[in-house]
């Protein structure tokens, strides 16, 4: 459809007119109403009566999205410039998708970045989807020139060395994990401390980092987080307080340290010896 025929309106509900590159002749510093950066070098929409200007690319962004990395609430397009929860950078444009209720922010590039599995398969790339990061993690070839000046460090163990030397990562966000660490860490756990919710998912947390069990609050760090509420466990508590379901018992079974006094195992008398 022709951009000229699409109806865009300003705050006063006036129709906007598209100004293309060849028509741009702005001498004053005029800013986009949404991202607050200059409209001088880009096609933009304008309402002459209101002196309302907005980039074509900004106006055509979705105003609200649902994102799997923050399933609790929709993310709203907002004029804002803070740390992105995905790439840890502050965007140049004052434009982000945000959940003000949770203090969750993603820049537009990270929020709208496609996780195209089809593209990866077509290019023969090995990839994984991991709960700790919103983008696909591709198998990293550390000899590739694109990683020449990149500090490839595993976020889970904070080490740059690994026996296998195998990493998966997102180059845009500079987020990498050892294959060994991926194999060792479950992406979801159950816990009897949160019986009303099925699973806690492994997430990278930059803000609001505090374990509900031990009070651990180092940030950024990996946490097991409930997708429905603010309950979260640090890695250590999550791994030691995991629970399982068992077909012969109706309730969740919790892991107990061996030094906790138990009379006997309900299946085998010798299990706890």
């Amino acid at each position: 459809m022709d951009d000229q025929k699409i109806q865009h309106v300003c705050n006063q509900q006036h129709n906007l007119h598209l100004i293309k590159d060849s028509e741009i002749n702005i001498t004053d510093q005029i800013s986009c109403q949404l991202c607050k950066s200059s409209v001088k070098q880009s096609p933009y929409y304008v309402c002459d009566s209101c002196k309302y200007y907005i980039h074509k690319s900004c106006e055509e962004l979705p105003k609200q999205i649902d994102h799997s990395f923050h399933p609790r609430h929709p993310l709203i397009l907002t004029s804002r410039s803070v740390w992105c929860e995905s790439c840890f950078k502050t965007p140049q444009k004052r434009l982000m998708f945000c959940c003000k209720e949770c203090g969750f922010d993603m820049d537009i590039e990270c929020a709208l970045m496609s996780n195209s599995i089809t593209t990866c398969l077509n290019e023969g790339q090995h990839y994984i989807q991991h709960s700790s990061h919103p983008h696909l993690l591709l198998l990293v070839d550390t000899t590739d020139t694109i990683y020449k000046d990149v500090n490839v460090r595993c976020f889970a163990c904070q080490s740059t060395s690994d026996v296998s030397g195998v990493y998966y990562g997102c180059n845009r966000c500079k987020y990498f994990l050892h294959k060994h660490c991926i194999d060792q860490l479950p992406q979801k756990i159950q816990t009897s401390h949160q019986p009303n919710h099925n699973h806690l998912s492994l997430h990278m947390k930059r803000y609001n980092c505090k374990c509900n069990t031990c009070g651990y609050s180092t940030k950024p760090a990996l946490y097991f987080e409930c997708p429905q509420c603010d309950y979260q466990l640090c890695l250590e508590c999550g791994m030691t307080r995991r629970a399982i379901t068992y077909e012969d018992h109706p309730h969740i079974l919790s892991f107990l340290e061996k030094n906790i006094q138990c009379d006997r195992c309900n299946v085998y008398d010798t299990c706890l010896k």
Side-chain angles (χ1 to χ4, degrees), residues 38-272:
S38 173
V39 299
K40 195 171 185 178
Q41 302 298 324
S42 175
Y44 62 89
Y45 289 101
V46 61
C47 172
D48 291 321
S49 61
C50 296
K51 302 302 179 185
Y52 180 96
Y53 301 86
I54 188 167
H55 288 125
K56 178 178 180 290
S57 57
C58 293
E59 170 62 17
E60 294 172 356
L61 285 169
K63 302 305 183 284
Q64 177 178 305
I65 62 172
D66 294 314
H67 202 287
S68 60
F69 205 61
H70 188 75
R72 293 168 59 186
H73 308 108
L75 302 182
I76 310 300
L77 186 65
T78 309
S79 178
R80 180 173 167 84
S81 184
V82 295
W83 286 97
C84 172
E85 297 280 354
S86 183
C87 65
F88 317 141
K89 299 173 185 176
T90 302
Q92 293 182 349
K93 287 187 175 182
R94 292 180 56 84
L95 199 59
M96 306 190 77
F97 285 100
C98 308
C99 174
K100 293 183 179 180
E101 185 174 346
C102 300
F104 181 90
D105 306 280
M106 289 182 75
D107 66 45
I108 56 175
E109 286 80 10
C110 285
L112 299 178
M113 183 174 170
S114 173
N115 275 347
S116 177
I117 295 175
T118 302
T119 300
C120 291
L121 292 176
N122 289 341
E123 296 179 358
Q125 295 176 297
H126 296 280
Y127 69 91
I128 61 169
Q129 290 180 306
H130 200 267
S131 63
S132 68
H133 192 72
H135 306 138
L136 292 178
L137 301 184
L138 303 180
L139 183 64
V140 173
D141 180 1
T142 54
T143 64
D144 195 305
T145 55
I146 65 172
Y147 299 104
K148 180 181 179 181
D149 299 317
V150 177
N151 181 22
V152 180
R153 177 187 295 273
C154 176
F155 186 86
C157 68
Q158 296 298 314
S159 174
T160 57
S161 60
D162 183 54
V163 175
S164 65
V166 179
Y167 293 84
Y168 283 86
C170 171
N171 193 42
R172 169 179 169 75
C173 299
K174 302 297 184 287
Y175 181 83
F176 304 97
L177 293 173
H178 285 133
K179 182 180 183 300
H180 172 76
C181 292
I182 292 170
D183 293 340
Q184 293 297 312
L185 292 175
Q187 294 188 52
K188 291 184 178 180
I189 63 169
Q190 288 183 298
T191 173
S192 60
H193 292 260
Q194 195 71 349
N196 295 327
H197 301 151
N198 291 330
H199 293 94
L200 303 184
S201 298
L202 188 65
H203 274 259
M204 190 285 299
K205 299 279 290 181
R206 184 173 183 83
Y207 303 106
N208 303 320
C209 303
K210 186 175 182 179
C211 178
N212 285 85
T213 296
C214 70
Y216 175 85
S217 60
T218 298
K219 54 186 179 182
L222 290 172
Y223 283 78
F224 291 101
E225 180 183 42
C226 177
Q228 302 173 43
C229 68
D230 294 325
Y231 187 82
Q232 56 191 11
L233 297 175
C234 67
L235 275 181
E236 183 175 355
C237 289
M239 294 297 286
T240 58
R241 295 174 184 271
R242 282 185 293 174
I244 62 171
T245 55
Y246 183 60
E247 60 183 3
D248 290 332
H249 189 74
H251 306 134
I252 291 176
L253 302 181
S254 300
F255 174 80
L256 298 178
E257 295 290 348
K258 198 170 181 179
N259 60 3
I260 294 178
Q261 185 64 41
C262 298
D263 292 335
R264 64 184 180 84
C265 172
N266 290 91
V267 181
Y268 298 108
D269 291 337
T270 58
C271 278
L272 298 176

